[in-house]
Amino acid sequence: MGSYKHNQDNRLDNVEKIQDAIQNTEENINAANETLSFSSEVEKMSIKAKNDRRKKSIEGMKEEMQDEQEARESGYNNDNI
């Protein structure tokens, strides 16, 4: 069995990664909304439910991004970089 090397936690670009994830999720919401007019009623319900989950996910990502921004501004713990 080979040895496993743990990657250090690098938080330096977390804010940007979260911003990208938010943008991608918003684009997915918009793309899904564009398909609504071509969808059956069952598909519309599914799309709307999925978009609701996406919106909740965005809320969580925004909170996480705020936490990461605050950590960045206060200077990360050097043990975690």
Side-chain angles (χ1 to χ4, degrees):
M1 206 174 205
S3 64
Y4 175 77
K5 182 178 178 186
H6 178 70
N7 292 331
Q8 288 185 329
D9 183 20
N10 184 349
R11 298 175 66 183
L12 296 176
D13 62 350
N14 281 2
V15 172
E16 291 77 13
K17 286 180 180 177
I18 296 168
Q19 285 174 333
D20 287 344
I22 290 170
Q23 182 178 353
N24 291 339
T25 304
E26 289 172 340
E27 289 172 1
N28 288 339
I29 290 171
N30 293 334
N33 284 336
E34 290 176 8
T35 67
L36 284 174
S37 63
F38 305 106
S39 302
S40 70
E41 288 305 313
V42 172
E43 291 169 331
K44 286 179 184 179
M45 289 174 40
S46 176
I47 291 168
K48 289 177 182 179
K50 191 165 190 174
N51 279 348
D52 286 343
R53 291 190 301 272
R54 286 174 171 144
K55 289 174 185 175
K56 288 178 185 173
S57 177
I58 288 173
E59 290 174 18
M61 286 188 278
K62 286 182 178 180
E63 290 175 9
E64 183 179 358
M65 188 172 67
Q66 180 65 34
D67 292 344
E68 288 293 330
Q69 185 63 38
E70 289 171 5
R72 177 184 283 180
E73 289 170 359
S74 65
Y76 294 107
N77 178 346
N78 288 335
D79 294 337
N80 293 329
I81 297 179

